[in-house]
Amino acid sequence: MIIYGTGSTKVKEEAIFNKCNSCGNINTTTAYVFAKYVDIFWIPIFPIGKYASTQCSHCKQVLQEKEMPPDLKQTVMPFKNISKTPLKAFSGLFVIALLIVGGGIMAAMAGKDTEQYAATPAVGDRYYYKEDDGSFSTMKIMELSSDSIFFFLNGYTIDKKSKTRTIDITKNYDTTEYYGYSKQEINNMLKDKTVFQIKR
Ligand SMILES: [Zn+2]
């Protein structure tokens, strides 16, 4: 479950010249500007605008923008317009951007490893591949010859590619029989991404 909502943070506070329309005191009014943002799990994700309000320090009357008399509104609006939305209101976007960049770097690194392992196959390497029915499984190199690679097959499949490593455990490999592929066949499987990752 994703818990989302909106929050706000104060971005400006300014004493203004005004006669309170409730208690009649002069110079007791403070204007506030708030930045409003959407949050997910209480982390601000992106800003959705600003709003202003005033409070009289004497009678405590609070006025929202739409309740302000025109002259008060005219005094307050410039403060609203010049106050900047703080970076805090975007912090979720920074986190998301970092995750995307970080994920991209990790995927690129995994791809590099796979390329390197494919070029230098070794006994024990595990090949992660896509089955014809769309599920995913793995096979482990048992033996190499000059033109073929022999594998123990994993007895399990999984329907989520990203979870393939969870079935890559020693006891899942059936070591009572093995299958051989020519290196050319393996190269084709790597090229068309049937084999999508190699672990060592
Ligand atoms: Zn007042």
Side-chain angles (χ1 to χ4, degrees), residues 75-191:
T75 310
V76 170
M77 282 306 113
F79 292 119
K80 181 184 166 188
N81 294 335
I82 59 165
S83 51
K84 286 204 171 69
T85 300
L87 288 177
K88 176 180 179 257
F90 298 95
S91 47
L93 285 185
F94 292 130
V95 172
I96 290 165
L98 277 179
L99 288 177
I100 290 170
V101 170
I105 290 170
M106 277 169 64
M109 280 165 64
K112 266 266 179 309
D113 285 348
T114 293
E115 258 173 55
Q116 189 199 329
Y117 299 154
T120 59
V123 169
D125 284 359
R126 285 101 61 214
Y127 283 49
Y128 290 14
Y129 68 94
K130 192 176 179 178
E131 300 263 15
D132 291 336
D133 67 1
S135 63
F136 303 92
S137 192
T138 74
M139 54 190 184
K140 181 154 62 175
I141 297 183
M142 177 214 108
E143 201 176 276
L144 296 149
S145 73
S146 58
D147 60 357
S148 299
I149 305 179
F150 301 92
F151 293 92
F152 290 133
L153 299 188
N154 193 319
Y156 292 79
T157 62
I158 195 156
D159 53 10
K160 249 191 167 163
K161 187 178 183 180
S162 61
K163 295 248 161 86
T164 308
R165 66 184 164 75
T166 62
I167 58 167
D168 177 19
I169 47 180
T170 305
K171 70 175 173 64
N172 286 355
Y173 291 96
D174 175 9
T175 55
T176 61
E177 49 184 344
Y178 60 85
Y179 291 84
Y181 292 97
S182 71
K183 286 187 175 169
Q184 188 56 51
E185 284 176 303
I186 291 292
N187 279 340
N188 290 341
M189 286 193 269
L190 280 158
K191 215 177 276 171

Side-chain angles (χ1 to χ4, degrees), residues 37-48:
Y37 51 80
V38 171
D39 59 21
I40 295 176
F41 291 114
W42 305 278
I43 300 167
I45 303 296
F46 57 85
I48 49 173

Side-chain angles (χ1 to χ4, degrees), residues 20 22-24 28 56 58-61:
C20 177
S22 167
C23 68
T28 53
C56 170
H58 184 76
C59 70
K60 307 296 178 200
Q61 177 186 246

